[in-house]
Amino acid sequence: MAFSASDISKAAFLAVIYVVTVLGNALVAYVLVKNRRALLKNRPTYQFILNIVLSDLLVGLLTMPFEFTRELLDEWIFGTAPCKLIEYIEIAVSCTAVFTHALIAYDRYRSLARPYSPRMKSKLVTKMIALSWVVPAVVETPYLYMFEVQVISSKTICTPKAIPFSWLDKLYGALSFLVVFLLPFMVLCWCYFRVILTIWGRSPTVMAENFSASQYSVISSTKRRVTRTSCLVAAVFVVCWLPTLVLGWFRIVSGTDSIHRGHVLHKIAMFGAFINEAINPVIYCAFDRSLKARISPRFLCRDPLLEATGFSQTNESLAKTTRNQGLSFRDTRNPRSKMN
């Protein structure tokens, strides 16, 4: 069988993504589990990060080899049952990662907007993580029925077929799109936007009664670091998942049968999601000093350009500085008003 240059290049690119996804997420998961007493106990951020790397690792191990074969051969060769199961796992577990991105964003917003409030209780964090798996798994269950092996343009393709009733097909497409993509997407964008507004004083923010020049310098530097981190995380998520959002909207308007898995938009959406799963360990590890300190410089997290930036520790440090320096919350638009 002759392989086209296009098929070989796509398969090679996917192979690189596969290696980075598996090695990167496995490394971060290993570090978190090995240091579970220091990092995972009563620390929601690291529990969410572990959840996201495990979901990405699961997608890499269980679905990417099948996608690699499909891209190389330019058709599906594994039959109907694997078609249904593999595609369902890929969609449901990828949605778990999307949910967890939103949970991390909420945790960051909460730690900055309410630094005096206690951390989320372990039971609540466990329930949130469980919901990030259960909700996508339930919502995407109809795909076990919808995915079929079809011959389209003389090629065998594993693609979803429409639900027999057009109105029901579009209704389900809208429900799935809203619950597992649009709502988490909006939560993430809103939380990081509020983080930036909070630390730069356009909403209730941290103010000091008496600050020295060095203290102001530390707070200013922290603001810049948190802003860069928040913008990067949100921007990467938007860029990688935007094709999937466009695909979901297109399906709502035109129906499932209007765009099959062999369509270029489907391929762009798939590669975008896989790229995000590959760079998640880079983002959440490179911006966290506690993780970087526990990983060899030869591996994923050493990047001199990102060395000065922290993620969860930066936000925790800002909250700690607020408490230690006796800071108060004020609305910059009304200096006389205080927020408890």
Side-chain angles (χ1 to χ4, degrees), residues 112-332:
L112 282 173
R114 301 175 181 177
Y116 289 102
S117 63
R119 290 173 178 166
M120 288 183 286
K121 295 182 179 180
S122 297
K123 289 184 178 180
L124 176 60
V125 174
T126 301
K127 290 179 180 178
M128 295 170 75
I129 291 175
L131 286 175
S132 73
W133 289 88
V134 173
V135 172
V138 172
V139 172
E140 306 299 349
T141 298
Y143 277 118
L144 290 171
Y145 158 77
M146 296 170 66
F147 268 96
E148 294 285 351
V149 176
Q150 304 179 33
V151 178
I152 301 177
S153 300
S154 72
K155 294 181 180 179
T156 304
I157 298 176
C158 174
T159 188
K161 66 177 182 180
I163 297 174
F165 300 100
S166 177
W167 66 270
L168 184 59
D169 181 68
K170 293 183 178 181
L171 177 62
Y172 171 68
L175 176 65
S176 174
F177 175 74
L178 176 66
V179 173
V180 300
F181 283 113
L182 186 58
L183 287 180
F185 176 80
M186 293 175 64
V187 168
L188 181 140
C189 292
W190 183 86
C191 286
Y192 283 129
F193 178 70
R194 295 296 297 178
V195 163
I196 295 172
L197 290 185
T198 298
I199 63 177
W200 285 104
R202 293 186 180 180
S203 64
T205 189
V206 180
M207 300 291 289
E209 298 287 349
N210 297 292
F211 270 155
S212 66
S214 61
Q215 291 170 336
Y216 271 118
S217 176
V218 169
I219 290 179
S220 178
S221 176
T222 301
K223 285 182 178 181
R224 288 192 296 269
R225 288 197 298 269
V226 174
T227 301
R228 286 197 299 266
T229 303
S230 300
C231 289
L232 178 61
V233 170
V236 169
F237 182 87
V238 169
V239 170
C240 290
W241 286 98
L242 185 60
T244 300
L245 295 172
V246 173
L247 183 65
W249 177 254
F250 191 88
R251 179 189 167 192
I252 293 172
V253 174
S254 303
T256 301
D257 286 338
S258 62
I259 182 168
H260 56 78
R261 288 287 298 211
H263 193 279
V264 63
L265 183 56
H266 252 301
K267 291 185 179 293
I268 293 174
M270 180 192 71
F271 276 100
F274 284 170
I275 290 172
N276 187 244
E277 287 159 358
I279 63 178
N280 277 337
V282 178
I283 295 174
Y284 290 109
C285 187
F287 289 122
D288 193 289
R289 295 169 183 171
S290 295
L291 284 174
K292 286 203 300 185
R294 290 170 170 82
I295 295 180
S296 171
R298 296 173 298 173
F299 285 99
L300 188 61
C301 295
R302 186 173 178 82
D303 187 340
L305 296 177
L306 303 175
E307 193 70 28
T309 310
F311 188 69
S312 64
Q313 184 169 334
T314 297
N315 295 332
E316 291 176 3
S317 297
L318 180 59
K320 184 177 180 181
T321 301
T322 302
R323 292 189 291 267
N324 291 343
Q325 296 296 335
L327 310 184
S328 62
F329 284 89
R330 297 174 183 256
D331 190 333
T332 55

Side-chain angles (χ1 to χ4, degrees), residues 17-18 20-30 32-33 46-65 86-104 128-134 136-137 180 237 241 273-281 284:
I17 295 176
Y18 170 78
V20 174
T21 299
V22 172
L23 293 183
N25 286 287
L27 177 62
V28 176
Y30 170 77
L32 287 170
V33 173
Y46 293 107
Q47 295 177 46
F48 292 145
I49 292 176
L50 178 61
N51 191 56
I52 206 170
V53 299
L54 289 178
S55 65
D56 291 343
L57 186 60
L58 192 61
V59 170
L61 291 174
L62 297 184
T63 71
M64 285 189 185
I86 294 302
E87 295 297 340
Y88 169 73
I89 292 174
E90 182 178 319
I91 294 172
V93 179
S94 294
C95 292
T96 294
V98 173
F99 265 74
T100 311
H101 275 293
L103 293 178
I104 293 174
M128 295 170 75
I129 291 175
L131 286 175
S132 73
W133 289 88
V134 173
V180 300
F237 182 87
W241 286 98
F274 284 170
I275 290 172
N276 187 244
E277 287 159 358
I279 63 178
N280 277 337
Y284 290 109

